[in-house]
Amino acid sequence: MKKERTLVIIKPDGIQRSLIGEIVGRFERAGLKLVGLKMLVPSQEFIEKHYLVHPEWRRITGEKTIESYKKKGKKPPHEDPYKVTEIVLDNLKKYMSSGPVVVMVWQGIHAVGIIRKLIGSTEPMTSDVGTIRGDFTIDSYEISDLDGRAVRNLIHASGSLEEAEKEIALWFKSEELIKYRLVQEQILYDINLDGILE
Ligand code: CDP
Ligand code: MG
């Protein structure tokens, strides 16, 4: 658990908004360790593969979107979650391949859950204040659906450990992930704290 890994992508809007440093800084200051990093322009086919590594992604994302509309007392674009995600996936492919992205692997205690907490929920309009999606952008399901585009929320992070393992294997070769020690691990993980005093 101390070496849990998760995949993060700074999406094209995050790069265009000059938020690479801000985002990396938030994960660093939380105590997580960066073990893999690359910048590239992904193809649409690759983005489809990325989202569909999670076999239930179509259903879950569709249901989440419909629920969010209903919570606000609005009518969702479709009642069928699969119809919703058919459109979402198409929009996502265009969004994610529109420019460079930064792809990273972060490691540390509960890395998957900690990073999901730091990035905030999917829709920036309702993401908590203090999170990356809540602090640095302003999109909503309603406006993005009206415009016929993906929700621009700056960043992707794996939603579960299983998703993380599959996504990391998709984006990185094992030799691209670096095994190294960080000085701060002494205070984060040492059990007896007997290495501080001289
Ligand atoms: O990224 P996250 O895991 O929070 O959400 P998701 O449900 O896995 O959806 C993936 C991405 O699709 C989101 O981050 C949005 O960019 C996009 N999306 C969208 O454009 N419209 C929706 N109704 C739902 C998601
Ligand atoms: Mg997701």
Side-chain angles (χ1 to χ4, degrees), residues 39-50:
M39 187 182 209
L40 68 146
V41 182
S43 70
Q44 293 204 11
E45 298 72 55
F46 197 80
I47 292 305
E48 177 159 338
K49 251 194 215 160
H50 163 79

Side-chain angles (χ1 to χ4, degrees), residues 7-139:
L7 186 101
V8 169
I9 306 172
I10 306 178
K11 295 178 175 181
D13 53 331
I15 309 294
Q16 294 302 317
R17 298 276 312 280
S18 303
L19 288 170
I20 301 170
E22 175 70 42
I23 289 169
V24 167
R26 285 182 173 219
F27 299 152
E28 279 187 317
R29 81 180 184 195
L32 292 157
K33 175 160 76 177
L34 184 61
V35 297
L37 175 73
K38 56 173 81 169
M39 187 182 209
L40 68 146
V41 182
S43 70
Q44 293 204 11
E45 298 72 55
F46 197 80
I47 292 305
E48 177 159 338
K49 251 194 215 160
H50 163 79
Y51 280 104
L52 298 184
V53 294
H54 186 338
E56 293 288 303
W57 181 84
R58 285 181 194 266
R59 181 181 56 79
I60 294 168
T61 296
E63 286 173 356
K64 201 169 74 177
T65 304
I66 292 167
E67 193 190 314
S68 161
Y69 268 91
K70 290 189 171 166
K71 242 194 217 154
K72 296 185 198 118
K74 311 238 171 183
K75 196 176 165 310
H78 285 285
E79 286 295 337
D80 178 356
Y82 292 94
K83 285 252 165 61
V84 172
T85 41
E86 203 181 298
I87 302 164
V88 170
L89 187 59
D90 223 42
N91 291 337
L92 259 178
K93 281 156 65 178
K94 287 182 212 142
Y95 168 38
M96 295 293 285
S97 58
S98 65
V101 299
V102 166
V103 193
M104 301 175 281
V105 178
W106 287 88
Q107 181 179 311
I109 290 183
H110 305 298
V112 172
I114 297 274
I115 288 204
R116 287 297 288 200
K117 180 186 69 169
L118 294 174
I119 74 167
S121 58
T122 308
E123 185 191 32
M125 183 193 166
T126 50
S127 311
D128 287 336
V129 172
T131 64
I132 291 164
R133 287 163 166 177
D135 282 357
F136 297 113
T137 196
I138 50 176
D139 210 4

